[in-house]
């Protein structure tokens, strides 16, 4: 980098910092989204299946569908 143009040097430093922050943010979001997806899959596997359907309150007599 040239010492004759300090404005260009500052601009390049600012741009590299902004790009670094954006890239790390995207990686962080991707990682946490993947982690959350895995966690939800584990919770779904551990959740017991319902034994019988609940009565429908909008059907007379509350008959299950």
């Amino acid at each position: 980098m040239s010492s004759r143009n300090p404005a260009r040097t500052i601009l390049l430093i600012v741009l590299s910092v902004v790009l670094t922050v954006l890239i790390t943010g995207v990686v962080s979001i991707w990682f946490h989204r993947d982690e959350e997806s895995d966690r939800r899959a584990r919770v779904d596997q551990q959740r017991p299946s319902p034994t019988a359907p609940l009565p429908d309150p909008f059907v007379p007599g509350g008959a299950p569908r």
Side-chain angles (χ1 to χ4, degrees), residues 9-49:
T9 303
I10 292 171
L11 180 64
L12 288 174
I13 290 171
V14 168
L15 284 176
S16 65
V17 168
V18 168
L19 283 175
T20 302
V21 168
L22 287 175
I23 290 171
T24 55
V26 167
V27 169
S28 176
I29 289 170
W30 173 78
F31 176 76
H32 285 98
R33 182 178 292 177
D34 191 46
E35 200 174 59
E36 179 66 16
S37 174
D38 290 345
R39 186 194 66 79
R40 287 182 185 205
R42 284 192 307 272
V43 167
D44 285 344
Q45 287 177 350
Q46 294 172 358
R47 180 176 296 143
S49 59

